[in-house]
Amino acid sequence: MTEPLVIVGDSMLDVDIEGSATRLSPEAPVPVVDADRVWERPGGAGLAAVLAARVESEVVLVTAVADDTDGQRLAELLTASGVTVVALPMAGSTVCKTRIRASGQSMLRLDRGDGIVAGKDLPAEAADALGRARAICVADYGHGVSAHPGLRRLLEHNGNRVPLVWDPHPRGAQPVPGCWLVTPNQVEAQQNSAETLRRHWRARAVSVTLGERGAAVSTEDGRVADITVPFTPAASARSDTCGAGDRFAVAATLSLAEGKSTVEAVTEAVCAASRFVAAGGAVGVSAPGRIGSIGGSPEFTAVLGEVTEVRDRLRRRGGRLVATGGCFDLLHTGHVRLLHRARQLGDTLVVLLNSDTSVRALKGASRPVMSQADRARVLCALACVDAVVIFDETSPEYQLEQLRPDAWVKGGDYTGADLPEAAVVRSHGGDVVLLPTIAGYSSSKLIAAMRS
């Protein structure tokens, strides 16, 4: 029997409606958003489970599920992400949070649904999963799963055996005694210190997350530490932090399961959350939906995420890993031909994509014309692309050091000496492959022609 990572908590359906806002309503001084895209993903504990499934072979989610349209869509998204769902009965309707966004900015959030856990019975599958777990992460979103008496008894019992990390919520239940780590943010901590909360919750350790400033940690051996963010790609001013707390909790859980100390686990979690935000946040686990309705078949299956997550997931597939990179600001025939030829050199293709900050540094303040999120989604829609990693530097050397591809492909009039990253690729036994470009195709020329 395998030992899964078990996520316990409240799940919901998250929907992003994206469009543009170029005018005010004649009825009131409010922006009018012309919607043109819809993206859906699991939220709450569901998002934590999906993030875990990107690096873990077996992830079990214990959550409440309603038998309604939103609940069915949520279950579809979780199953498609490789998550095994152990469903508790729910009274009421699925919680759905819809964000309306324009030009990368959130304009409004609409919440609907009142679902809470129903009944005191616990499926046998829940006890079985927790009994086999190699680590447990509770993602509490205040809708009753963490307050279930039967689950709480199982969590406290198994927390004596394996790492138990609890991400609390102001409206949720108090963590069970003995948690290996509790991870409130500043709002949830309510101005209490990590040490005060650790004693109050009778936890082995508490880490108060501080956003871009890292985290403050208190452990039962009396150690108090401030964890700052080591070098990671920087997030832009418009970076979406949705899901960063779930990414932090999952990373800490996995580190503790590997035998790392609490401080080491929190340090790795801070880095993971920072990379997650810099790489685009929860956009990487969203699937396309239809405007005016919930549902729709996913149009792509490519992974969009951090370089270490992409590496681990694709390496598990086996075969030859190929990587290429660039700005891809206005995708054209030359780009597509290069990507198809690169994919033919191996079994999986990773695209290292320059972030908006990186493109501006390379091409000037007027670029890019397409945001990093849009450029990434276009690339993910190509059948030849298996994964996209967004990076903030002008050279992808750091990402290549982590990825260690079997081949690094570039197009154009480069020579091996012109590529500073070539030494990194070759130092790990990879090949550098230079492919000729197709004459007549250039993003810069296309953009100049449009602007003229």
Side-chain angles (χ1 to χ4, degrees):
M1 297 289 286
T2 57
E3 297 180 326
L5 174 67
V6 178
I7 310 293
V8 177
D10 311 290
S11 298
M12 57 204 70
L13 181 65
D14 282 351
V15 180
D16 286 350
I17 298 176
E18 295 185 349
S20 58
T22 58
R23 66 190 192 278
L24 294 177
S25 169
E27 303 158 357
V30 295
V32 175
V33 177
D34 294 311
D36 54 20
R37 287 167 294 188
V38 173
W39 302 92
E40 301 166 334
R41 62 180 173 273
L47 177 58
V50 170
L51 294 174
R54 298 171 77 173
V55 293
E56 283 287 295
S57 59
E58 185 178 3
V59 175
V60 176
L61 171 63
V62 180
T63 191
V65 179
D67 185 17
D68 55 23
T69 301
D70 288 342
Q72 292 166 6
R73 179 57 176 156
L74 175 59
E76 290 174 2
L77 293 168
L78 289 166
T79 301
S81 299
V83 176
T84 300
V85 178
V86 175
L88 307 179
M90 175 180 282
S93 57
T94 301
V95 175
C96 180
K97 297 183 177 182
T98 301
R99 294 189 302 172
I100 299 175
R101 296 165 60 82
S103 302
Q105 297 282 7
S106 289
M107 309 289 288
L108 180 69
R109 196 182 90 179
L110 302 174
D111 290 1
R112 69 174 187 270
D114 56 357
I116 58 172
V117 176
K120 297 182 179 180
D121 294 336
L122 197 64
E125 294 87 349
D128 175 70
L130 289 167
R132 293 188 295 115
R134 74 184 189 97
I136 303 167
C137 178
V138 177
D140 187 1
Y141 278 81
H143 294 281
V145 171
S146 67
H148 190 287
L151 269 180
R152 292 184 66 83
R153 287 192 295 271
L154 288 172
L155 289 169
E156 186 172 357
H157 171 73
N158 286 285
N160 294 321
R161 181 181 61 85
V162 296
L164 172 59
V165 174
W166 195 295
D167 190 9
H169 191 277
R171 296 193 304 272
Q174 184 164 291
V176 299
C179 286
W180 290 40
L181 179 66
V182 185
T183 62
N185 60 30
Q186 283 182 290
V187 174
E188 293 157 350
Q190 298 178 347
Q191 298 184 332
N192 291 301
S193 69
E195 172 61 15
T196 298
L197 292 171
R198 189 192 66 76
R199 292 196 303 266
H200 174 67
W201 286 328
R202 292 183 287 167
R204 298 191 190 187
V206 166
S207 170
V208 178
T209 55
L210 307 173
E212 62 184 12
R213 293 185 289 116
V217 186
S218 173
T219 60
E220 62 183 346
D221 60 4
R223 182 174 182 182
V224 177
D226 291 324
I227 310 298
T228 57
V229 181
F231 169 76
T232 55
S236 68
R238 288 189 175 183
S239 292
D240 189 354
T241 60
C242 177
D246 296 303
R247 182 68 189 95
F248 180 96
V250 167
T253 304
L254 292 173
S255 294
L256 291 172
E258 293 169 359
K260 304 287 180 63
S261 70
T262 300
V263 172
E264 289 173 328
V266 172
T267 300
E268 291 191 6
V270 165
C271 293
S274 298
R275 290 193 303 266
F276 175 78
V277 173
V283 65
V285 294
S286 299
R290 295 194 298 266
I291 293 176
S293 66
I294 298 298
S297 58
E299 297 173 3
F300 55 83
T301 57
V303 179
L304 171 59
E306 307 165 24
V307 66
T308 54
E309 291 179 341
V310 165
R311 176 198 65 203
D312 293 345
R313 182 165 182 170
L314 297 186
R315 284 299 186 190
R316 285 202 301 268
R317 298 182 187 176
R320 181 174 168 85
L321 192 155
V322 179
T324 189
C327 301
F328 298 98
D329 192 22
L330 286 189
L331 195 72
H332 54 65
T333 297
H335 289 143
V336 175
R337 183 73 62 86
L338 171 70
L339 292 168
H340 275 282
R341 292 185 64 186
R343 181 61 171 78
Q344 292 170 355
L345 297 175
D347 300 286
T348 53
L349 176 64
V350 179
V351 179
L352 302 182
L353 179 66
N354 293 77
S355 72
D356 293 348
T357 300
S358 177
V359 174
R360 281 193 290 272
L362 291 169
K363 298 182 178 294
S366 63
R367 300 282 296 274
V369 296
M370 292 176 62
S371 72
Q372 63 190 43
D374 285 335
R375 289 183 285 124
R377 282 170 172 161
V378 169
L379 289 167
C380 285
L382 298 177
C384 60
V385 175
D386 295 279
V388 175
V389 173
I390 301 173
F391 68 96
D392 213 48
E393 302 79 28
T394 54
S395 170
E397 292 173 78
Y398 171 79
Q399 285 68 31
L400 289 169
E401 178 66 39
Q402 301 298 314
L403 189 63
R404 301 187 180 186
D406 299 297
W408 170 243
V409 178
K410 289 292 287 184
D413 299 325
Y414 291 104
T415 67
D418 294 331
L419 295 172
E421 67 269 22
V424 175
V425 175
R426 290 176 176 137
S427 69
H428 298 294
D431 301 319
V432 176
V433 180
L434 303 177
L435 298 177
T437 56
I438 301 176
Y441 291 97
S442 163
S443 293
S444 297
K445 291 180 180 178
L446 287 172
I447 293 167
M450 288 189 299
R451 287 174 173 165
S452 66

